[in-house]
């Protein structure tokens, strides 16, 4: 029987623990060999299966094969990793999680990374970290304000509300669909403590403007990088221009690994930072709020497990069960991490494909600029695009509904810009009625326009030229039918 609490080696699969203690060394060795052989055979079969099943998918048939907005892109490496992780049967955070945290931190260019079970959990862990009493005067408290974008995804904002802080919504810039930086100063008040923005559809927000604002007022910055892993931005705030990946500019940043995103683990996400203190706090919120930082299956990493005196607990109370935060359990399993480890090795290539696909659509739809406004990259950015956003102009002879139903009717998937205008959703009904709990800067006209007129189509790496050409044909055919050529 496999012994509980024993961590498998990061190099060779842990098969020794399957061996009965009473076995002689020779028979144990034989059994070990045979388990290794079986694993090898399983992995070989899995490789064959993935190759065969992917061949079965067949060629693209225009009008019949769906052109998806996004999807998993994988080969045998993801599946063999997953099968290996399942044969390890470690299940919770383990060797694959450790490797993925390291690989992700290295890829992004940050010191610390924690895996979590979704991008929403990443946002929750990141924002919760800012509320920690360990941060003293700088912590975000109930009633403090956090500046964020109204055109976005709900779980960028949910943690702010859940912690009793007040989201202050600014409008979007019509060209980038990202934060309108001219509203930042107006949004600031004596209660402002933090700024939390997503890089919309992979397009970095104006990082230099936001960082300058944050530094001027001593505010935390959380980058919701869920849609932008691999996007680059060149900051000019230092002595020389410095190009880095998004996720390295804020105090904390987050990723989502839900299948449409730049890499996938099924469900999954990550929180990353350069601050050891914030990393410790994020880990505590992720892991039940505990003070202890032992990895799953480990005891006494601190070496003084029974020698702490914290809170009003008796001296020596087990550090493993000592809680410094009101936390959650947001951990990723090793099964998910094993998939992510194969994916992270491909993220740079995925990003190149996203950029190529976006540029191809942009170039071949450019002549439709009189009916659509197409999103532009933020100055000094190089987005790893999540999608291709188009806004139907007011003077176009058709509506968003017309083009979206034409595309969908021809098997081209479309998506709205997530929540559109967040404050118009039913989750705000109660706060709207009592006129408290959030603030809005101006009337959010650009956000409303995005809500009413914008939609996006895919650029994900699973698309080939045939998908893109077909999609372009459908855009053109729809416009043709309304007399736009
Ligand atoms: C900007 C943004 N933040 C957060 C999330 C939440 O990620 P998840 O679906 O993994 O919870 C998403 C999801 O797509 C997103 O687009």
């Amino acid at each position: 029987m496999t012994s509980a609490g024993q961590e498998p080696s990061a190099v060779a699969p842990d098969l020794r623990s399957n061996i009965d203690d009473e076995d002689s060394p020779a028979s144990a060795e034989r059994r070990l060999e045979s388990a290794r052989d079986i694993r090898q055979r399983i992995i070989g079969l899995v490789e064959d299966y993935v190759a065969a099943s992917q061949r079965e998918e067949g060629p693209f048939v225009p009008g019949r094969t769906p052109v998806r907005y996004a999807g998993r892109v994988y080969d045998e490496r993801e599946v063999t990793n997953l099968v290996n992780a399942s044969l390890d049967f470690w299940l919770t955070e383990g060797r694959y999680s450790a490797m993925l945290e390291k690989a992700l931190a290295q890829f992004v260019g940050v010191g610390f990374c924690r895996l979590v079970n979704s991008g929403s959990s990443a946002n929750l862990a990141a924002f919760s970290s800012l509320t920690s009493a360990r941060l003293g005067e700088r912590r975000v408290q109930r009633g403090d304000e956090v500046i964020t974008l109204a055109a976005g995804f709900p779980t960028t904002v949910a943690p702010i509300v859940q912690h009793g802080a007040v989201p202050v919504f600014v409008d979007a810039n019509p060209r980038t669909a990202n934060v309108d930086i001219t509203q930042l100063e107006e949004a600031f008040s004596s209660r402002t403590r933090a700024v939390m923005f997503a890089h919309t559809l992979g397009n970095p927000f104006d990082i230099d403007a936001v960082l300058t604002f944050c530094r001027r007022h001593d505010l935390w910055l959380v980058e919701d990088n869920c849609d932008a892993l691999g996007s680059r931005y060149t900051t000019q705030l230092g002595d020389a221009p410095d190009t880095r990946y998004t996720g390295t500019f804020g105090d904390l940043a987050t990723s989502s690994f839900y299948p449409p995103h730049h890499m996938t683990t099924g469900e999954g996400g990550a929180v990353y930072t350069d601050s050891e203190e914030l990393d410790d706090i994020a880990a505590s919120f992720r892991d039940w709020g505990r003070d202890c930082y032992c990895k799953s299956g480990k005891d006494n990493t601190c070496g003084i497990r029974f020698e702490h005196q914290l809170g009003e607990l008796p001296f020596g109370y087990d550090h493993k069960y000592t809680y410094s935060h009101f936390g959650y359990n947001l951990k990723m399993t090793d099964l998910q991490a094993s998939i992510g480890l194969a994916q992270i090795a491909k993220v740079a290539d995925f990003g190149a494909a996203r950029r190529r696909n976006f540029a191809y659509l942009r170039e071949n739809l450019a002549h439709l600029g009189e009916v659509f406004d197409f999103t532009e990259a933020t100055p000094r950015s190089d987005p790893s695009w999540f999608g291709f956003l188009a806004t139907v102009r007011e003077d176009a002879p058709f509506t968003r509904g017309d083009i979206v139903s034409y595309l969908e009717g021809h098997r081209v998937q479309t998506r709205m810009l997530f929540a559109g205008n967040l404050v118009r959703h039913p989750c705000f009904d109660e706060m709207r009625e009592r006129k408290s709990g959030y603030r809005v800067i101006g009337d959010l006209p650009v956000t409303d326009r995005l809500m009413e007129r914008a939609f996006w189509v895919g650029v994900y790496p699973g698309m080939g030229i045939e998908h893109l050409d077909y999609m372009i044909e459908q855009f053109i055919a729809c416009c043709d039918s309304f007399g736009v050529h």
Side-chain angles (χ1 to χ4, degrees):
M1 220 201 253
T2 303
S3 56
Q6 194 176 335
E7 194 137 18
S9 130
V11 185
D14 180 32
L15 301 168
R16 288 179 192 277
S17 49
N18 286 332
I19 294 160
D20 214 40
D21 282 341
E22 273 116 50
D23 274 354
S24 70
S27 76
E29 200 49 45
R30 270 198 306 280
R31 286 232 228 152
L32 181 60
E33 290 282 47
S34 104
R36 270 202 199 114
D37 285 352
I38 294 168
R39 188 186 278 244
Q40 284 291 293
R41 272 186 282 143
I42 292 171
I43 296 303
L45 277 173
V46 168
E47 283 169 352
D48 293 346
Y49 169 77
V50 175
S53 68
Q54 294 199 334
R55 266 198 308 275
E56 257 171 33
E57 280 170 19
F60 175 73
V61 182
R64 286 252 300 281
T65 312
V67 180
R68 300 188 194 287
Y69 80 98
R72 306 149 301 155
V73 178
Y74 67 99
D75 58 26
E76 73 286 353
R77 282 166 284 186
E78 282 77 2
V79 190
T80 54
N81 270 12
L82 177 60
V83 171
N84 262 318
S86 67
L87 293 175
D88 287 353
F89 211 65
W90 184 253
L91 303 181
T92 182
E93 186 187 45
R95 66 179 177 127
Y96 284 106
S97 317
M99 288 190 276
L100 179 55
E101 282 181 344
K102 198 167 157 205
L104 198 62
Q106 245 166 22
F107 175 82
V108 175
V110 287
F112 308 94
C113 170
R114 301 285 176 166
L115 297 175
V116 291
N117 55 15
S118 73
S120 303
S121 297
N123 282 344
L124 180 60
F127 186 77
S128 300
S129 302
L130 302 183
T131 68
S132 170
R134 283 197 208 161
L135 300 173
E137 288 294 292
R138 286 202 70 203
R139 76 185 191 271
V140 178
Q141 302 195 57
R142 300 185 79 76
D144 283 345
E145 294 186 350
V146 181
I147 299 173
T148 187
L149 195 65
F153 198 82
T155 56
T156 315
V157 174
I160 303 171
V161 176
Q162 285 154 355
H163 276 281
V166 176
V168 177
F169 292 100
V170 293
D171 206 0
N173 173 319
R175 286 194 309 283
T176 62
N178 228 315
V179 48
D180 174 0
I181 51 146
T182 65
Q183 292 197 332
L184 291 175
E185 286 299 342
E186 194 184 342
F188 180 79
S189 82
S190 59
R191 294 300 304 262
T192 312
R193 294 286 174 276
V195 170
M196 187 156 172
F197 290 132
H199 298 296
T200 306
L201 286 184
N203 195 16
F205 52 76
D206 184 338
I207 290 176
D208 276 1
V210 172
L211 269 179
T212 304
F213 171 75
C214 289
R215 286 174 189 168
R216 184 179 312 132
H217 298 291
D218 196 18
L219 307 175
W220 298 106
L221 174 61
V222 181
E223 287 177 76
D224 177 337
N225 202 31
C226 286
D227 297 343
L229 185 65
S231 290
R232 296 189 196 90
Y233 180 83
T234 303
T235 176
Q236 293 184 330
L237 296 183
D239 296 337
D242 181 14
T243 303
R244 302 206 304 264
Y245 282 126
T246 52
T248 60
F249 296 94
D251 296 288
L252 288 147
T254 61
S255 269
S256 164
F257 305 137
Y258 191 63
H261 292 254
H262 292 65
M263 60 172 262
T264 190
T265 59
E267 301 288 352
V271 183
Y272 30 96
T273 177
D274 252 340
S275 153
E276 191 167 2
E277 181 179 40
L278 290 175
D279 174 64
D280 272 355
I281 298 171
S284 171
F285 273 103
R286 183 193 65 170
D287 302 349
W288 306 280
R290 67 185 185 165
D291 205 69
C292 161
Y293 44 86
C294 286
K295 292 265 186 224
S296 174
K298 294 272 185 214
D299 291 338
N300 205 17
T301 311
C302 62
I304 46 169
R305 177 176 165 193
F306 297 108
E307 289 159 54
H308 288 277
Q309 200 289 305
L310 291 165
E312 293 188 349
L313 291 166
F315 176 83
Y317 193 79
D318 192 349
H319 193 219
K320 248 185 161 2
Y321 293 104
T322 300
Y323 302 95
S324 40
H325 299 103
F326 294 102
Y328 313 92
N329 178 359
L330 308 174
K331 288 197 301 297
M332 181 187 272
T333 68
D334 223 31
L335 302 170
Q336 293 162 294
S338 72
I339 303 167
L341 193 64
Q343 291 264 296
I344 185 80
K346 301 174 181 175
V347 158
D349 289 344
F350 286 167
R354 286 177 176 278
R355 288 174 170 94
R356 237 182 0 255
N357 293 346
F358 185 96
Y360 192 78
L361 287 180
R362 188 73 181 78
E363 189 185 329
N364 287 284
L365 294 175
H367 65 289
L368 298 178
E370 72 185 75
V371 283
F372 296 114
D373 288 336
F374 298 116
T375 310
E376 291 168 25
T378 296
R380 295 197 304 286
S381 78
D382 173 23
S384 180
W385 294 99
F386 190 52
F388 183 88
L389 188 76
T391 305
V392 179
R393 291 172 61 103
E394 285 72 1
D395 49 3
F398 54 83
T399 63
R400 175 181 62 184
D402 293 329
I403 175 85
V404 161
S405 53
Y406 188 93
L407 292 173
E408 293 277 351
H410 290 80
R411 312 225 66 193
V412 176
Q413 273 191 332
T414 61
R415 286 292 181 271
M416 302 288 130
L417 187 56
F418 307 123
N421 185 341
L422 262 171
V423 299
R424 295 201 183 276
H425 283 256
C427 54
F428 276 89
D429 283 353
E430 204 196 314
M431 286 196 275
R432 204 182 302 112
E433 242 162 64
R434 65 177 152 83
K435 292 188 171 58
S436 72
Y438 70 105
R439 286 204 296 126
V440 174
I441 305 306
D443 297 330
L444 306 176
V446 178
T447 305
D448 278 341
R449 183 171 188 256
L450 290 167
M451 176 181 68
E452 283 156 12
R453 300 184 158 273
F455 68 99
W456 58 279
V457 292
V459 294
Y460 81 108
M463 282 178 159
I465 194 79
E466 62 279 17
H467 299 90
L468 296 168
D469 281 339
Y470 175 74
M471 195 151 59
I472 291 162
E473 275 167 29
Q474 300 319 307
F475 266 89
I476 293 173
C478 177
C479 290
D480 266 350
S481 71
F482 283 93
V484 179
H485 310 292

